[in-house]
Amino acid sequence: MTFPIEGFGAGVTGGAGGTVIHVTNLNSTGPGSYRNALLSGGTGGPRIVVFDVSGTINLFANGAVELRNGENGSGGSQPGAVYDNLTIDGSTAPNQGVQIIGDSTIIRCNNVLIKHMKFRCGDQGATTNRDSLSIDTATNVAVTQCSIELGDDGDCDINNSSTNVTVQWCIIGPCLASGSMLIKYGSTLTTSIHHNVFFDSPRFPECGGPSHVDWVNNIMYRNFNPDALSLWPPDEGAINANLVNNVFKYGSSAGNTINSRPLYFYAARPFSG
């Protein structure tokens, strides 16, 4: 069951009505792989990626999978290709589902729906600064009912003028490095983060301006080091934030130092909410 998408990403349709593409093996690349399924088409026509297998897909040997419109990105995206209008449906995998490890899945395209997936980059190899899931320079993206963790930069970052993004009903954390989520950089970001659990990260979500952020019905648990939710727009512009019905809870390993705080407003720029 997939919950209705709410918030700024409510208009996302993904690949509805489009071609169904099957992932038939756990290989990092090649026919039937997760990488090939995401990068197939390249014309922007609607596609739905489904899984005939369950288990672990390790991207490390071939790098990140990057869906980047019009440019040659990492992990196989081609110059001039368009990767819009895509659904990645992990609920179709048998047994315990599928997890993506070893490197990032990077969304740099439009109208993408991701559901019932497990993104767990990990610290394999010498490469660092990888998010488990990155939404970057994208429009109309919805992520629902996913497990996103073990990034060696962030778990799920939303950056660089991405608009109309919803992340909902997900488990996010722990993180191996900077923090569980970053919403920052570029012109106005419009993001709804609701009904998620964040836990065990050095820094919980940090939001920069200019942006419009809905932060509703989330739980943030353990390791507020220093902040659970930080609104931080020093040189970027105002943040318009709706902070509604969230729970900020210290855990036994938080340390409860004097610098730990559940909510931090950086006051160099205006806020409204």
Side-chain angles (χ1 to χ4, degrees):
M1 176 182 177
T2 300
F3 298 148
I5 306 300
E6 298 177 302
F8 282 114
V12 171
T13 57
T19 302
V20 177
I21 302 168
H22 292 259
V23 176
T24 59
N25 59 62
L26 301 177
N27 299 338
S28 174
T29 192
S33 68
Y34 169 77
R35 186 185 308 272
N36 277 30
L38 265 61
L39 295 170
S40 64
T43 62
R47 290 111 54 227
I48 303 171
V49 173
V50 300
F51 295 83
D52 298 344
V53 292
S54 62
T56 298
I57 297 172
N58 191 338
L59 302 178
F60 177 72
N62 301 98
V65 177
E66 182 175 357
L67 303 178
R68 184 171 184 168
N69 281 350
E71 298 182 45
N72 188 19
S74 62
S77 62
Q78 299 298 314
V82 177
Y83 298 106
D84 299 342
N85 307 311
L86 174 68
T87 294
I88 306 171
D89 187 357
S91 71
T92 57
N95 302 320
Q96 298 301 309
V98 63
Q99 66 172 350
I100 311 300
I101 71 168
D103 217 313
S104 307
T105 296
I106 305 171
I107 307 300
R108 285 186 167 136
C109 55
N110 308 307
N111 193 30
V112 177
L113 173 61
I114 303 172
K115 54 185 180 178
H116 301 281
M117 292 290 293
K118 303 170 186 175
F119 297 99
R120 298 167 177 169
C121 178
D123 59 358
Q124 184 175 358
T127 304
T128 58
N129 298 321
R130 299 169 298 187
D131 302 326
S132 289
L133 177 64
S134 176
I135 300 167
D136 189 296
T137 325
T139 301
N140 296 321
V141 178
V143 181
T144 184
Q145 293 151 277
C146 292
S147 170
I148 311 169
E149 56 198 54
L150 300 179
D152 64 7
D153 181 30
D155 287 331
C156 179
D157 283 3
I158 304 166
N159 293 325
N160 295 321
S161 305
S162 293
T163 57
N164 297 335
V165 176
T166 289
V167 178
Q168 62 173 42
W169 298 101
C170 292
I171 298 173
I172 303 174
C175 182
L176 300 178
S178 299
S180 56
M181 180 175 283
L182 184 70
I183 305 172
K184 206 171 184 182
Y185 307 124
S187 59
T188 301
L189 298 96
T190 49
T191 308
S192 297
I193 311 296
H194 66 87
H195 293 95
N196 302 287
V197 175
F198 295 86
F199 71 101
D200 281 5
S201 292
R203 181 203 67 223
F204 282 111
E206 179 178 312
C207 306
S211 61
H212 299 268
V213 179
D214 296 331
W215 201 270
V216 181
N217 291 332
N218 298 288
I219 297 173
M220 278 152 282
Y221 177 70
R222 202 156 55 194
N223 285 9
F224 297 173
N225 185 27
D227 310 316
L229 172 59
S230 175
L231 303 179
W232 183 269
D235 299 309
E236 300 161 4
I239 296 176
N240 298 282
N242 296 313
L243 308 178
V244 181
N245 203 36
N246 299 285
V247 175
F248 305 90
K249 184 174 178 60
Y250 291 109
S252 59
S253 66
N256 294 324
T257 67
I258 193 169
N259 292 322
S260 296
R261 52 213 168 194
L263 182 62
Y264 179 57
F265 294 93
Y266 183 88
R269 294 276 185 171
F271 293 89
S272 64

